[in-house]
Amino acid sequence: LMTLSLKRTNAAPQLTQPYGATQGLLYHDVNTRANPAYLFINAFLTDSSKDQTIPHAAIAQVAIASLPPESIVPVILVQPQAQAALVGGSATFEVTADGAAPLAYQWQLNSNNIPDATNASIALPSLQAAQSGYYRCVVTNEHGEARSADALLTVTPLVSSGAMTNLWRLAPGSRPYLTANDTQRGLTHNATGNSLLLVSRADGTNVYVLDAETGADLHVLDVTGVSGGTYSLNAIAAAEDGAVYAANLTLNGSADSFRIYQWESDAAGFAPALAYSGNPGGADRWGDTLDGRGQGTETQILATSRNGTNAVIFTTDDGFHFSAHLIATDALAGDMGLGAVFGAGNTFWTKSSSRALREIQFDLGTGKGVTLTNYGAAAFPNSVYVIGLDPAMGLLGGVSIENPDNLRLYSIADRTVAPQLLDQELFATDNPNANGTGAVDFGFKRLYALDSNNGLLAMALPDPVEQPRLGIERNGSFVTLTWSGAFILQSSTNVAGGYADVPGAVSGHAEDTTGQPRKYYRLRN
């Protein structure tokens, strides 16, 4: 289909001719090879009084253009795309169509019209599982209709077990130091005062101290003299004696000094002291991760490279000045860049964006780090970037950067199986966190999480369920049964059933087995 527009190449004939002459246009040439964009025509005159035609009175070049949209049926130019989200997330489908105006749009879910969904796009906030299905748009005008391709929306329910219960939460904007412009990355729990420490650059670089149980503001640490690095303070950690350590961020270890500052306490009035300054090793980026443990001269601080394969364990002989021990690991470059926390013994756990969860054993003497456990994408989601760990409880927490961002709680008590997802909790907002930064920490059966641009979560964890353990010792014909906790002893002559309470039995219960049939024992709540 085409339309013609006249481009004159010679003088046109006059509109009126004497002696009854008429005028008109005659197609002369379609030069499709040399100039496919034009037709060439002649203008002619006919003098009816003389029965004479005058050809070539004018020559015209006519441009070929596409038909305007108002003369065609609808056509889908851009199709909607498949999407996935968790319950509580959002999705937007859109189409681009061409055709005669006006165009009418109607979105459908599984071929059924969606009420009031009559625009070129449809936004679906706060998704529920029932909204899963195939979405398409039907575009119509007076000439016909066009149907878009089906786009699958998958809405996955959250794992919601009650293993975490909300203690308090803070959204961006609820405090001056909480923003949505990527200015908060460091968070730690300090067990000595049951406080929470947050590094924020929203209004200058500061360390804010909060009541960990309520989220109430307490005070701001003195940061006099803190300087250097891309960010003078970024990551933060606390040791078991209440000392606080915060590090700057350096992009190139060989050209920039990595610094760790120490506050003896997070109480008001303590000034920072420089605990370490130097290049831990290589041209690595340092300061995205920091974790601490121990106390006094037994304090250890962990940092990992954002872009390399190295980790550093900082140790001290006097409790104030620290030395760096470079650990060359078998991880891939960038594997340890966003999450790094001490595990049990000489181990630490690491994570980064779209990387495996690793448990690494380190040796300060050899400077080597060897992966003990590696959970790839099939066992642990790539979307978890930052992690925290409670080795005693066998729990791992992680911030998952997805749709929407959420805090996940895992059990890692059994290393022979993949981490078991116990519970999920959404943050107050779901602003983009393009850098995947934040922090996670445990303390006093609490789990705290910072998702940069989405605020803070404080979750209460249940008391560990005490597992009954029954001990049996034989001395001659006597057996003695011992256990801990408020459990009741039962016995049966059949292992499969028929158990009954043993009257009056308490831990240390002894029985003479002489002449007795085989007996089985167990504990009940």
Side-chain angles (χ1 to χ4, degrees):
L1 295 174
M2 64 190 71
T3 187
L4 302 180
S5 62
L6 185 62
K7 178 179 180 183
R8 300 192 182 279
T9 60
N10 207 338
Q14 297 180 11
L15 295 179
T16 312
Q17 297 296 330
Y19 312 112
T22 60
Q23 62 184 21
L25 295 178
L26 176 67
Y27 287 96
H28 174 65
D29 180 35
V30 181
N31 191 355
T32 55
R33 287 188 180 178
N35 200 341
Y38 297 99
L39 298 175
F40 295 94
I41 64 173
N42 281 330
F44 65 90
L45 293 175
T46 299
D47 189 340
S48 59
S49 64
K50 298 181 180 180
D51 194 22
Q52 182 181 37
T53 299
I54 306 173
H56 309 299
I59 298 175
Q61 177 182 329
V62 181
I64 302 172
S66 299
L67 273 174
E70 57 266 19
S71 59
I72 58 175
V73 297
V75 177
I76 305 295
L77 302 178
V78 178
Q79 301 284 356
Q81 301 299 307
Q83 298 182 51
L86 297 172
V87 166
S90 62
T92 298
F93 293 104
E94 57 185 347
V95 295
T96 300
D98 197 3
L103 293 176
Y105 300 87
Q106 177 60 63
W107 285 92
Q108 297 179 334
L109 170 58
N110 297 329
S111 301
N112 298 313
N113 288 348
I114 302 172
D116 301 320
T118 55
N119 294 313
S121 64
I122 179 173
L124 304 170
S126 303
L127 287 166
Q128 300 301 312
Q131 292 174 277
S132 293
Y134 290 94
Y135 287 76
R136 72 181 181 191
C137 188
V138 180
V139 184
T140 59
N141 65 7
E142 63 180 355
H143 299 285
E145 73 172 32
R147 299 187 177 209
S148 74
D150 287 338
L152 177 62
L153 173 62
T154 304
V155 183
T156 304
L158 295 168
V159 172
S160 183
S161 66
M164 297 187 292
T165 56
N166 183 66
L167 189 63
W168 53 265
R169 66 182 60 207
L170 296 174
S174 62
R175 303 281 171 84
Y177 51 81
L178 290 176
T179 69
N181 58 6
D182 200 36
T183 55
Q184 301 92 47
R185 299 189 182 186
L187 179 79
T188 192
H189 177 262
N190 193 340
T192 301
N194 194 22
S195 54
L196 204 63
L197 292 94
L198 170 75
V199 177
S200 175
R201 303 187 311 276
D203 184 20
T205 299
N206 289 291
V207 179
Y208 295 88
V209 184
L210 287 70
D211 185 313
E213 197 66 17
T214 66
D217 287 326
L218 297 178
H219 53 268
V220 180
L221 291 188
D222 182 357
V223 293
T224 303
V226 170
S227 63
T230 302
Y231 302 136
S232 58
L233 291 178
N234 193 56
I236 192 167
E240 294 167 22
D241 57 5
V244 175
Y245 300 89
N248 66 354
L249 177 69
T250 61
L251 301 183
N252 188 326
S254 62
D256 218 356
S257 179
F258 180 57
R259 299 179 183 181
I260 301 176
Y261 294 91
Q262 180 201 64
W263 290 260
E264 291 185 48
S265 167
D266 65 16
F270 284 90
L274 189 60
Y276 174 83
S277 179
N279 176 15
D284 288 352
R285 168 172 166 162
W286 302 100
D288 290 283
T289 62
L290 204 70
D291 195 28
R293 69 178 180 183
Q295 56 185 330
T297 58
E298 301 300 317
T299 301
Q300 291 184 336
I301 302 171
L302 166 68
T304 54
S305 168
R306 176 71 177 90
N307 55 340
T309 61
N310 294 319
V312 180
I313 306 295
F314 297 91
T315 62
T316 178
D317 293 328
D318 59 10
F320 298 101
H321 304 92
F322 285 77
S323 300
H325 303 269
L326 190 68
I327 305 296
T329 76
D330 58 359
L332 301 177
D335 274 358
M336 306 181 291
L338 290 173
V341 290
F342 280 114
N346 290 334
T347 67
F348 59 85
W349 293 68
T350 67
K351 190 68 174 70
S352 194
S353 55
S354 302
R355 299 300 180 93
L357 173 67
R358 289 178 181 266
E359 180 187 18
I360 297 176
Q361 185 175 57
F362 66 89
D363 187 323
L364 290 179
T366 63
K368 301 293 184 183
V370 178
T371 298
L372 297 178
T373 314
N374 186 335
Y375 298 109
F380 193 81
N382 281 341
S383 59
V384 174
Y385 291 3
V386 297
I387 58 173
L389 189 70
D390 187 325
M393 296 181 69
L395 295 176
L396 181 143
V399 174
S400 183
I401 309 299
E402 52 185 319
N403 179 15
D405 290 2
N406 61 94
L407 173 62
R408 293 174 171 234
L409 178 66
Y410 289 88
S411 170
I412 55 167
D414 185 355
R415 298 289 200 284
T416 64
V417 298
Q420 302 299 298
L421 179 59
L422 303 177
D423 207 354
Q424 289 174 279
E425 186 71 24
L426 300 182
F427 287 86
T429 61
D430 190 34
N431 298 313
N433 181 359
N435 293 308
T437 54
V440 177
D441 205 3
F442 287 85
F444 295 154
K445 291 186 292 186
R446 304 287 189 255
L447 177 56
Y448 303 95
L450 166 68
D451 178 14
S452 296
N453 305 332
N454 291 298
L456 295 172
L457 277 181
M459 308 303 297
L461 304 176
D463 292 330
V465 177
E466 185 178 9
Q467 299 297 322
R469 294 182 179 275
L470 183 62
I472 300 179
E473 292 184 0
R474 175 180 287 277
N475 184 6
S477 63
F478 282 86
V479 293
T480 301
L481 298 100
T482 57
W483 63 92
S484 61
F487 297 103
I488 296 173
L489 182 67
Q490 294 187 315
S491 67
S492 173
T493 57
N494 185 342
V495 69
Y499 285 89
D501 295 349
V502 178
V506 295
S507 182
H509 174 76
E511 288 193 12
D512 186 357
T513 62
T514 302
Q516 297 291 327
R518 180 174 296 179
K519 241 179 188 181
Y520 300 90
Y521 296 90
R522 73 179 186 186
L523 296 172
R524 73 169 179 86
N525 289 321

